[in-house]
C-alpha cells in the first residue's frame, strides 16, 4: 500500500469518525433539549387552561385569573437574561456540558415542585407567591439552556451545512412543546373534577423521570472541540462585559430578530388556548391544533435550516417574519369559525410555516454573530433579553387587549407590530459573516 493510499484511508477513517460524532452530538443535544423544554412549556399550557382558576384570585371576571397566570408566565422570562449571564459565563469559561447539566437540574427541581404546590384555596396568597418563585427558577434555567444546546451542534459541524445541522437543536424546543402538550392532553382525559383536583399535577411530577433521562444523556455528550481550542487562548475576563463592550450591535441584532419569532410563537402557543376557551372552543380541539402543527414543524424547521445554507439566513428569516405579518389577521379569523379544519389550518400557517422559517434559521444565524470565546454569553443575552418583552409579555398583553376590547383584532395588530420590528431589523443588517465564510 502506497503512502497516498495510507493517507486516503486515514482521511476516510477520520471523516467517518467525524460523521459518527456529529450524529451522536445531534441526537444527544435534541433529546436533552426536549427534556428541558418540556419542563418550561408545561407551565404555559397550564397557565392558559387551569392555573388562573387554581392559583390566582379572579373575582367575577374569568379572564382576570388567566391574566394572573400569564403574569406568572412573564416573570419567568424576566429571569431568563440573568440565567443567560450566569450559565453563559459557566459555558464560556468552564464548558458547554457543565452549564447544560446545571440548567437541567435547576429546571427539573422547579417543575417537580410546581406539581406539589397547594392551590389558592388551600394556602391563600402563599400559593401564587410560591408559583412565581418557582417560575423564576424555571426562567433562569431556560435562559442558560438555549445557547448551550445550539452550540453543542453548531460548533461540532460548522461549514456549509451549519444551518441544516444547527436547526436540529430546535427540534428539542419544538419536541419539548409537543411532549408537554401531549402529556397534558392525556391528563385531560380524566374526569373534569379529578383533573382539576390532582390530574393537572401529573405532567409536572413526571419531570423527575425526565430529569434523570436528560442528565444521563448530557453526561455522555462530548465537549465542543471549538470551545476547547478557543479556551486555550482566551483571556479570562467576564464574557458578559466583553459582549457588551465589543459586540453590542450583534446583541441588538439578535434581539430584533427574536421579537417576531418569540412574541408570535407565544401568541400561537399560549394565548391562542385562552382565546379558544374565551370563544367556547373545546380545549382538546385547540390543543390538538397546536400539537399537530408543532409536530409537522419538526420537519419544516429543519428544511428551512437547510434552505438557509442555500439562499442565506436573512432571506429565509425574512420569509418567516413577513409571513407572520400576512398571517396575523387570518389566524384569528380561522379560529373564530370554530371549525376543526380551519382551526388546524390557522395553527399550521402560524407555527408550521412562519414560526418554522425563523426558528429553523435562528441557531446558525445567531451563532455566526459572535466569536467562540464569548459565543455562549452572546447568544444567551441576545436571545433572552428579547424574550422578556417579546415572549414573556406577549400573552399578557394579548389577554389585556382581549379583556378590554373583547375582540382579537387588537391582538392581530399587535402581532403585525412585532413582525414589523423583525422585518426592519433584517433590512438594516447584513448576512452574518460566518455564513459568508462558510
Amino acid at each position: 500500500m502506497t503512502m497516498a493510499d495510507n493517507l486516503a484511508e486515514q482521511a476516510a477513517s477520520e471523516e467517518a469518525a467525524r460523521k459518527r460524532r456529529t450524529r451522536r452530538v445531534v441526537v444527544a443535544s435534541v433529546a436533552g433539549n426536549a427534556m428541558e423544554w418540556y419542563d418550561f412549556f408545561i407551565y404555559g399550557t397550564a397557565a392558559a387552561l387551569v392555573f388562573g382558576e387554581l392559583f390566582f384570585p379572579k373575582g367575577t371576571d374569568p379572564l382576570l385569573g388567566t391574566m394572573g397566570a400569564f403574569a406568572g408566565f412573564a416573570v419567568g422570562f424576566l429571569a431568563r437574561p440573568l440565567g443567560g449571564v450566569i450559565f453563559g459565563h459557566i459555558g464560556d469559561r468552564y464548558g458547554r456540558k457543565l452549564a447544560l447539566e446545571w440548567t437541567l437540574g435547576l429546571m427539573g427541581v422547579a417543575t417537580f415542585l410546581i406539581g406539589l404546590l397547594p392551590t389558592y384555596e388551600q394556602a391563600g396568597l402563599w400559593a401564587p407567591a410560591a408559583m412565581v418563585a418557582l417560575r423564576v427558577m424555571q426562567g433562569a434555567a431556560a435562559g442558560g439552556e438555549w445557547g448551550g444546546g445550539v452550540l453543542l451542534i453548531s460548533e461540532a459541524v460548522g461549514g456549509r451545512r451549519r444551518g441544516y445541522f444547527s436547526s436540529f437543536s430546535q427540534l428539542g424546543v419544538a419536541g419539548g412543546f409537543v411532549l408537554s402538550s401531549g402529556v397534558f392532553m392525556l391528563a385531560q382525559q380524566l374526569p373534569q373534577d379529578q383533573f382539576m383536583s390532582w390530574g393537572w399535577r401529573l405532567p409536572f411530577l413526571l419531570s423527575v423521570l425526565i430529569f434523570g433521562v436528560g442528565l444521563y444523556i448530557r453526561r455522555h455528550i462530548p465537549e465542543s472541540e471549538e470551545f476547547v481550542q478557543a479556551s486555550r487562548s482566551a483571556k479570562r475576563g467576564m464574557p458578559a462585559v466583553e459582549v457588551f463592550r465589543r459586540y453590542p450591535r450583534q446583541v441588538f441584532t439578535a434581539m430584533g430578530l427574536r421579537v417576531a419569532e418569540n412574541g408570535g410563537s407565544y401568541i400561537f402557543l399560549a394565548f391562542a388556548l385562552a382565546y379558544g376557551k374565551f370563544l367556547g372552543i373545546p380545549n382538546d380541539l385547540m390543543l390538538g391544533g397546536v400539537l399537530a402543527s408543532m409536530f409537522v414543524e419538526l420537519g419544516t424547521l429543519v428544511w428551512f435550516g437547510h434552505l438557509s445554507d442555500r439562499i442565506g439566513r436573512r432571506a429565509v428569516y425574512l420569509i418567516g417574519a413577513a409571513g407572520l405579518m400576512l398571517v396575523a389577521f387570518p389566524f384569528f379569523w380561522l379560529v373564530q369559525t370554530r371549525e376543526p379544519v380551519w382551526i388546524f389550518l390557522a395553527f399550521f400557517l402560524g407555527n408550521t410555516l412562519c414560526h418554522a422559517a425563523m426558528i429553523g434559521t435562528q441557531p446558525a444565524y445567531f451563532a455566526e454573530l459572535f466569536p467562540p470565546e464569548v459565543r455562549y454569553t452572546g447568544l444567551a443575552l441576545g436571545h433572552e433579553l428579547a424574550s422578556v418583552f417579546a415572549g414573556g409579555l406577549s400573552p399578557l398583553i394579548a389577554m389585556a387587549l382581549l379583556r378590554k376590547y373583547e375582540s382579537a383584532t387588537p391582538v392581530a395588530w399587535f402581532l403585525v407590530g412585532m413582525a414589523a420590528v423583525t422585518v426592519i431589523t433584517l433590512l438594516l443588517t447584513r448576512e452574518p459573516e460566518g455564513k459568508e465564510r462558510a
Side-chain angles (χ1 to χ4, degrees), residues 21-37 100 145-154 156 165-166 168-173 214 217-218 220-222:
R21 181 179 182 277
T22 298
R23 286 195 296 268
R24 180 184 172 194
V25 168
V26 169
V27 172
S29 180
V30 170
N33 283 2
M35 299 298 101
E36 182 145 5
W37 286 104
L100 288 172
E145 164 65 25
W146 187 82
V150 166
L151 294 184
L152 280 178
I153 297 179
S154 65
F165 281 111
S166 295
F168 278 86
S169 65
Q170 301 288 46
L171 290 181
V173 181
I217 290 171
R218 292 217 156 144
H220 290 78
I221 299 177

Side-chain angles (χ1 to χ4, degrees), residues 357-382:
M358 293 182 282
I359 199 174
T361 310
Q362 197 175 90
Y365 202 151
F366 283 24
E368 290 164 352
L369 293 174
F370 303 95
E373 62 271 16
V374 294
R375 186 173 287 154
Y376 199 136
T377 302
L379 260 71
L381 284 173

Side-chain angles (χ1 to χ4, degrees), residues 301-333:
L301 71 87
V302 172
W303 183 81
F304 279 119
H306 166 73
L307 186 63
S308 77
D309 287 327
R310 297 297 185 88
I311 67 174
R313 317 288 188 225
R314 289 176 69 246
V316 178
Y317 215 100
L318 188 60
I319 291 172
L324 182 61
M325 297 180 73
L326 298 176
V327 164
F329 283 92
F331 176 85
F332 292 106
W333 295 338

Side-chain angles (χ1 to χ4, degrees), residues 349-364:
L349 290 173
N351 292 325
T352 309
L353 294 179
C354 300
H355 184 244
M358 293 182 282
I359 199 174
T361 310
Q362 197 175 90

Side-chain angles (χ1 to χ4, degrees), residues 63-88:
L63 294 181
L64 198 57
T66 304
M67 286 184 64
F70 278 138
F73 185 76
V75 168
F77 282 83
L78 291 175
R80 286 176 65 162
L82 175 62
V85 170
I86 294 172
F87 293 110

Side-chain angles (χ1 to χ4, degrees), residues 188-200:
Q188 281 197 303
Q189 302 311 304
L190 290 167
Q192 181 67 11
D193 60 333
Q194 294 182 30
F195 173 73
M196 295 300 292
S197 175
W198 56 268
W200 68 268

